[in-house]
Amino acid sequence: MKRYLAIWTMLLVITFSVTPTQACTLWAANGNAVEGGGSLIVKNRDWLPDHQQDVQLISPADGYRYLGLFAIDGAHKGLKAGINEKGLVVVSATAGSIPVKERKGMPYTHGLSARLLKECNSVEEAISKTDLFVGPQILMIADKEKIATIEIGPEGNFSVMVKENEVIFHTNHYVAESMLEFNHISGISSQKRYSRIGELLKNISEKVDFDTFIALSKDQNDGPDNSIFRTGSTPNKARTMAVWAVAIPQNNSPELYIRILNPNESEKILRINSEDVFKGNLLTE
C-alpha cells in the first residue's frame, strides 16, 4: 500500500505541480475597447536572470526594418518582442505546457517572430503565413486594426484567433479548444497569471488607455513566482526581465514603453515614438 501511495504521489507531482521556469504574460486590446481606438499590446517577459537584454534596430537586406527586444547573451539569445516599420507588433511566449525535452525534439521554424516582422505588414498578412507555424510556441500580434493570438503545437497543429473591439490575453498553456490536448503538464504559475490578467482586464470598466495597460504589468498579487510581475522567490528562479508595451493608434505613429530589468544593472525605461526610431533616433527617459 505504501508503495502505491508513493507512486500515486509522484504522479500527482508530475501531472499538476510542474511549473515551467521560463514564462511570459501577454495581453492586448483593440478598437472600441481602447481609448481613441487602435490597438494596445503588452508583454511581460519572464526568464532566468542569467543574461542581458538590449533594444536593437534591425535593417535586413530584404524586408521591413524592425525594432526588437533581444537577449544578447546566455543560452537563449535572440528576439523576444518587436515592432516593424509598418506598425506590426509580434510578441511570443513559451508553450510551457509541453515539457522542455519534448519541445526540443520537435521541428521548429527558427526565428519565427523575426520572419513575421521582416515579411509582413499587417495581422492579416502574418496569419496567412501558416507554413511557418511549426514548433510549439504562442504568439500575440497586433496592428492598428486587429489583434490576434497564434497557438502553435506539435505535428503541424495550430489555432489562430483574431479579435476586433475586444481584449485578449495569454500565458504559457493552450486555451483554444482544438489545442487543449497538448497541455501535457499543468503549470501553476501559468494558470494563476492567466486567471489574474483576465480578472484585471475584466474589471476595467471604461475604455482602456496606454498608461492603464502598462500599469497592469506591475501587478504582484500572487507572490514572487506566480504574479504578472514576478520577482522570483530565490535568485535562481525566473523573474520579470522586461516589459514591452506598444500603443498603435489609428492615425499616428505607434508609441513604445520598454522597461528593461537586467541583472546587476539599474532599471532602464524607454519611451519611444516609432517614427523617431525608424528615422534613427531613440528617446530615453
Side-chain angles (χ1 to χ4, degrees):
M1 174 64 76
K2 288 183 178 179
R3 181 177 172 225
Y4 292 137
L5 285 174
I7 292 172
W8 177 243
T9 301
M10 181 176 68
L11 288 173
L12 283 173
V13 169
I14 292 173
T15 306
F16 297 105
S17 299
V18 178
T19 304
T21 300
Q22 294 82 23
C24 296
T25 306
L26 319 173
W27 61 101
N30 171 264
N32 293 341
V34 177
E35 184 68 38
S39 298
L40 305 173
I41 184 169
V42 183
K43 168 178 175 170
N44 265 30
R45 179 176 183 253
D46 303 337
W47 205 265
L48 296 174
D50 60 357
H51 65 284
Q52 302 293 300
Q53 305 158 110
D54 196 9
V55 177
Q56 300 176 2
L57 178 62
I58 305 300
S59 299
D62 296 306
Y64 302 118
R65 294 175 296 163
Y66 61 92
L67 182 76
L69 174 69
F70 288 82
I72 58 175
D73 58 8
H76 300 277
K77 295 186 288 186
L79 179 70
K80 307 305 175 184
I83 179 172
N84 71 14
E85 59 186 306
K86 295 298 182 179
L88 176 68
V89 177
V90 179
V91 298
S92 62
T94 302
S97 55
I98 298 179
V100 175
K101 288 184 179 180
E102 290 184 34
R103 296 201 309 269
K104 284 185 176 179
M106 296 176 182
Y108 261 88
T109 297
H110 292 286
L112 174 56
S113 293
R115 287 196 61 174
L116 294 178
L117 289 168
K118 186 176 73 168
E119 298 176 11
C120 304
N121 63 16
S122 66
V123 167
E124 284 298 323
E125 188 170 7
I127 64 176
S128 73
K129 301 279 188 177
T130 55
D131 58 316
L132 300 179
F133 300 163
V134 180
Q137 61 181 298
I138 295 160
L139 300 181
M140 187 171 287
I141 59 178
D143 61 21
K144 65 182 181 180
E145 303 291 344
K146 298 176 182 178
I147 53 179
T149 54
I150 306 170
E151 297 184 7
I152 306 174
E155 300 174 357
N157 291 280
F158 65 88
S159 173
V160 177
M161 179 174 63
V162 182
K163 294 290 184 180
E164 298 178 60
N165 304 311
E166 294 186 48
V167 298
I168 55 175
F169 52 97
H170 226 299
T171 51
N172 303 100
H173 59 279
Y174 297 108
V175 297
E177 186 173 353
S178 63
M179 303 294 288
L180 295 179
E181 65 181 288
F182 304 118
N183 287 327
H184 297 169
I185 56 178
S186 178
I188 294 172
S189 176
S190 184
Q191 297 286 347
K192 286 191 173 182
R193 286 180 287 109
Y194 185 82
S195 295
R196 180 60 176 170
I197 191 62
E199 176 188 355
L200 291 174
L201 291 168
K202 182 179 179 179
N203 288 338
I204 296 174
S205 57
E206 300 178 355
K207 294 184 178 183
V208 68
D209 61 23
F210 195 29
D211 287 338
T212 301
F213 233 45
I214 292 169
L216 302 184
S217 71
K218 302 174 183 178
D219 184 81
Q220 298 185 46
N221 183 73
D222 293 289
D225 297 320
N226 299 319
S227 292
I228 293 170
F229 186 90
R230 300 166 72 181
T231 56
S233 56
T234 66
N236 62 348
K237 286 196 173 183
R239 63 175 175 82
T240 299
M241 295 280 290
V243 178
W244 174 275
V246 186
I248 317 170
Q250 281 285 344
N251 300 312
N252 294 303
S253 299
E255 299 288 336
L256 291 88
Y257 169 95
I258 307 168
R259 183 182 181 190
I260 299 176
L261 300 114
N262 282 335
N264 304 314
E265 288 185 1
S266 298
E267 175 183 321
K268 299 175 183 176
I269 293 179
L270 305 175
R271 301 291 302 236
I272 304 172
N273 180 289
S274 69
E275 184 177 2
D276 291 321
V277 170
F278 295 113
K279 287 181 177 179
N281 301 312
L282 289 181
L283 304 181
T284 63
E285 129 179 335

